[in-house]
Amino acid sequence: MHTEGSFLVNDADRPLRFGEVNLIDPPRRERKGLPERAGTLCQTVATGFCGTDWELMQMGSRGELGPKFPAGEQRLINGHEGVVWVPDEGRYAIVLIRGGDSWDPSRFEADETYFEYGCDRADGLMSREGFYHPDMLLRIPEQYLPEGATLTRQLAARLVFCDPMACMLFQRERLEDLLVGHNWRLFSARGFSREDAMDAAIADGFARVVIYGLGGTGILGAIAIRERYPDAHIITVGRSDPGGVKDAFLARHWDGIDYVQTGADAADTAARIEHALDGKPRIFIGSSGNAIEAEIAFAQGLLDNNGIYSSFSLGPTVSYNSMPFGFKNQLIYGAINFRRDHMEDAIELLCRLPVDELVEEAPLAGLAANPLAFYEQVYRAPGRPLKTICVWDEGRIF
């Protein structure tokens, strides 16, 4: 079967293309212990563009995409954020992107396999149609999209954030786990029961949080934490002048999320953060993709004793001086993943959050006419929106 869409190849000049592409439907397993199943043919309604699409395009220009292609293919239909229509069931759905032969996709073991629609060994949503595992077509809650109702552009714009929001809900869960194990004894030593000490360790950790990098994941991370911990004081850090679209959006909707602009150097930035936070952070989330994150947290001494450094960025090298690091009892961890329940929670949460304010729609014709120029505009143009969305089926949205 053939359809029309965008797809990635290994080519120095044209790593991203738009046109006719063959669809494949190999049996897939949602997770270990469940049977392999053939996919359900779905129609794409709307898709959002993620930085991963840009990075995959760069990999294609360097000839590095081979391991990402589906078995037997020399191309990958990209895209992992969006809403599809399931004709066999007469409903809209969000595709659960990550699956495979693993017990828990947020903690893959060395002998386990996985796939990611639109990212790794499985075709994604940037085509008019696609095959997806029937058990991985998640429902949109009926209170937000009643049976028989047509999807609105506002709701579609919110739901394109499901994949990154699910990632950040996993980050929040992982930080909760680590805070309990890392710091409960601080409160046990004060006479708390073990259960109360665990609760206190979590509350103490989320009381003072820094999120370095105010891109999509940074914003969603701040929201995910603030929604669960309304007393959290969160400092977001970015290069833009205060009052920009992103920090103004957070300030407008959530008290307790403040913004700090980076300073002249790492020392200046660290001082600004500590002043705004009225102390050193217990949690430092790095999401900017810049190695200065670690320099500020460790070399400048910003991270508090018993603090946790969450390395969410891909690319930077994290370094630290082992002497103060060890005596300050600090912890570094990195994990980028999510489970089905994270995605389902993300769907419910996003349906009621005004994140559509950060989204702009671009015509699909622009992607079709010149995909490389389209991506340059989406990912590199000055004043670009946080998220861009394209509509593939005007008959299923209004």
Side-chain angles (χ1 to χ4, degrees):
M1 177 179 177
H2 289 77
T3 190
E4 183 182 54
S6 75
F7 54 96
L8 295 152
V9 298
N10 281 325
D11 189 297
D13 299 318
R14 294 179 59 226
L16 178 68
R17 302 177 184 183
F18 190 99
E20 185 178 85
V21 61
N22 65 304
L23 288 180
I24 59 173
D25 183 25
R28 299 190 186 279
R29 194 187 315 276
E30 180 189 348
R31 62 176 174 82
K32 189 169 287 187
L34 298 177
E36 288 187 336
R37 297 190 65 182
T40 294
L41 184 64
C42 299
Q43 299 165 356
T44 306
V45 179
T47 55
F49 295 82
C50 172
T52 300
D53 299 311
W54 174 265
E55 294 303 325
L56 289 172
M57 188 176 77
Q58 306 312 307
M59 290 177 65
S61 69
R62 299 190 298 267
E64 299 171 353
L65 277 181
K68 299 287 188 181
F69 293 146
E73 300 295 322
Q74 295 300 311
R75 89 292 174 277
L76 171 70
I77 299 173
N78 62 303
H80 56 279
E81 301 177 349
V83 184
V84 302
W85 174 256
V86 189
D88 289 352
E89 300 178 27
R91 67 177 178 93
Y92 298 91
I94 303 296
V95 179
L96 175 62
I97 298 303
R98 302 187 184 212
D101 198 16
S102 62
W103 292 112
D104 182 347
S106 68
R107 291 166 176 81
F108 287 112
E109 298 187 48
D111 61 345
E112 294 180 337
T113 62
Y114 74 98
F115 67 88
E116 296 178 310
Y117 286 117
C119 299
D120 209 326
R121 290 166 283 183
D123 289 328
L125 281 67
M126 290 289 182
S127 58
R128 296 197 181 278
E129 300 140 309
F131 287 100
Y132 309 105
H133 191 296
D135 297 330
M136 297 173 69
L137 297 169
L138 306 183
R139 294 184 177 274
I140 300 170
E142 190 169 344
Q143 63 264 41
Y144 303 109
L145 187 63
E147 183 177 354
T150 302
L151 181 73
T152 67
R153 277 175 156 79
Q154 181 190 58
L155 186 56
R158 294 179 178 187
L159 291 172
V160 295
F161 288 103
C162 283
D163 178 271
M165 178 58 88
C167 281
M168 299 319 292
L169 293 179
F170 168 63
Q171 291 294 307
R172 187 184 69 189
E173 175 192 88
R174 195 75 177 96
L175 285 166
E176 290 167 343
D177 293 345
L178 293 170
L179 285 166
V180 167
H182 190 52
N183 284 336
W184 76 271
R185 290 187 181 277
L186 291 175
F187 299 94
S188 176
R190 291 167 166 80
F192 287 48
S193 69
R194 180 163 183 154
E195 182 177 353
D196 289 344
M198 290 177 173
D199 291 340
I202 294 174
D204 174 73
F206 284 114
R208 302 193 304 280
V209 179
V210 168
I211 298 178
Y212 196 98
L214 199 54
T217 54
I219 288 177
L220 297 178
I223 295 171
I225 293 171
R226 199 71 176 83
E227 286 286 312
R228 173 70 64 85
Y229 301 100
D231 295 329
H233 188 187
I234 302 169
I235 297 296
T236 60
V237 185
R239 293 174 296 180
S240 302
D241 292 335
V245 172
K246 294 181 286 188
D247 68 283
F249 165 78
L250 290 173
R252 187 164 60 249
H253 295 291
W254 288 273
D255 292 332
I257 301 179
D258 297 322
Y259 179 73
V260 168
Q261 185 180 18
T262 54
D265 52 32
D268 184 22
T269 301
R272 292 183 182 204
I273 295 170
E274 186 169 354
H275 175 75
L277 197 57
D278 196 25
K280 295 180 182 294
R282 276 282 207 252
I283 293 174
F284 188 112
I285 300 175
S287 61
S288 73
N290 194 312
I292 198 172
E293 298 169 350
E295 181 183 350
I296 289 170
F298 298 115
Q300 299 303 322
L302 181 64
L303 186 63
D304 201 1
N305 285 21
N306 310 300
I308 297 177
Y309 181 91
S310 170
S311 179
F312 193 78
S313 294
L314 293 178
T317 297
V318 176
S319 61
Y320 59 91
N321 184 327
S322 60
M323 180 68 79
F325 175 80
F327 280 98
K328 288 182 177 180
N329 190 44
Q330 293 168 334
L331 176 66
I332 298 173
Y333 94 99
I336 301 173
N337 224 312
F338 59 83
R339 297 188 305 272
R340 182 191 185 98
D341 57 316
H342 296 131
M343 188 68 119
E344 291 172 335
D345 289 347
I347 294 170
E348 195 284 327
L349 179 60
L350 288 166
C351 282
R352 54 184 173 83
L353 293 181
V355 291
D356 55 286
E357 295 176 16
L358 300 169
V359 180
E360 292 183 9
E361 185 176 333
L364 182 62
L367 176 63
N370 192 334
L372 294 175
F374 183 92
Y375 270 39
E376 284 286 346
Q377 181 70 25
V378 166
Y379 294 111
R380 291 295 182 266
R384 62 190 179 276
L386 179 73
K387 182 70 69 177
T388 298
I389 186 173
C390 275
V391 171
W392 292 75
D393 187 346
E394 291 285 353
R396 296 288 179 191
I397 194 170
F398 73 93

